[in-house]
Amino acid sequence: MREPWVVGVSGASGTPYAKAVLIGLLDAGESVDLVVSRAARLTLLDETGATVRDAHWKDDVAAWLGRDLGDLAYWPAGDLAAGPSSGSYPAKGMVVVPASTAACAGIAIGLSKDLLQRAAEVNLKERRRTVVVPRETPVTRSHLEHLIALHDAGAVVLPASPGFYGAGAGATAQQLVDFVAGKVLDALGVPHTLSTRWKGELNAQRKPFGGP
């Protein structure tokens, strides 16, 4: 029986994080169900020039990811009768990446205004692994309260906050993106080689400071 990870992309800035997570899951041989919110389509177009159209999703998503889709299915965000909207639909869990403050609020209070929010609520109520990747700064008290509510409901709140210990201060944007994507895959229990892990030794993976 097919048992995918549901990946929801909301309208926050940070669509490269979503791309890296999707590629990481597919590279690991995982099945994926993708939901892209209406706001995320605008952000994706603005940040990357890519489009995701319901009627042409296979070509559009393949072009965005730059690879074959493997076992990836797509559900329109407005389809509240889609598989992931039901707890009886088999799924391993869900990632919302990036997670806008609006998406976090909607999931936290059970608003279910679209398939992304509904699917996340379903995974929480079914006690499946649910990872929420907020990408906003600074934050207000209401943002923090919604994140606490998600934590208390069983979600892993994983801010898009990359570390520099793997690649150093000269890290590329892609290395920082991959650091966060690797943390997401760690939270899901999916193996990857996206980032260098800390080994308890300073500069173990980099040239000595001031060296050639």
Side-chain angles (χ1 to χ4, degrees), residues 18-177:
K19 177 180 178 178
V21 169
L22 287 166
I23 290 175
L25 289 171
L26 294 173
D27 283 350
E30 299 286 339
S31 300
V32 174
D33 278 14
L34 175 63
V35 181
V36 182
S37 75
R38 291 181 62 187
R41 296 186 192 199
L42 298 175
T43 307
L44 182 63
L45 180 63
D46 182 59
E47 292 184 342
T48 71
T51 59
V52 175
R53 299 164 294 175
D54 292 346
H56 304 281
W57 70 266
K58 286 185 178 180
D59 291 338
D60 290 349
V61 175
W64 172 36
L65 299 183
R67 56 158 294 158
D68 67 273
L69 297 182
D71 186 8
L72 184 148
Y74 173 86
W75 299 94
D79 185 3
L80 289 174
S85 68
S86 172
S88 65
Y89 181 79
K92 289 183 177 179
M94 183 169 179
V95 182
V96 183
V97 55
S100 67
T101 55
C104 290
I107 298 165
I109 66 175
L111 186 60
S112 293
K113 76 163 202 165
D114 60 10
L115 179 59
L116 186 154
Q117 292 185 17
R118 172 58 185 169
E121 182 187 0
V122 164
N123 278 274
L124 286 173
K125 78 180 183 68
E126 297 296 329
R127 299 297 189 264
R128 298 169 184 159
R129 293 192 187 189
T130 306
V131 180
V132 178
V133 186
R135 213 291 329 148
E136 184 64 81
T137 188
V139 293
T140 67
R141 182 182 180 89
S142 65
H143 298 159
L144 295 171
E145 288 173 344
H146 290 137
L147 294 180
I148 290 172
L150 290 172
H151 173 273
D152 290 348
V156 174
V157 177
L158 198 157
S161 179
F164 288 81
Y165 56 78
T172 65
Q174 189 59 55
Q175 286 173 317
L176 297 178
V177 166

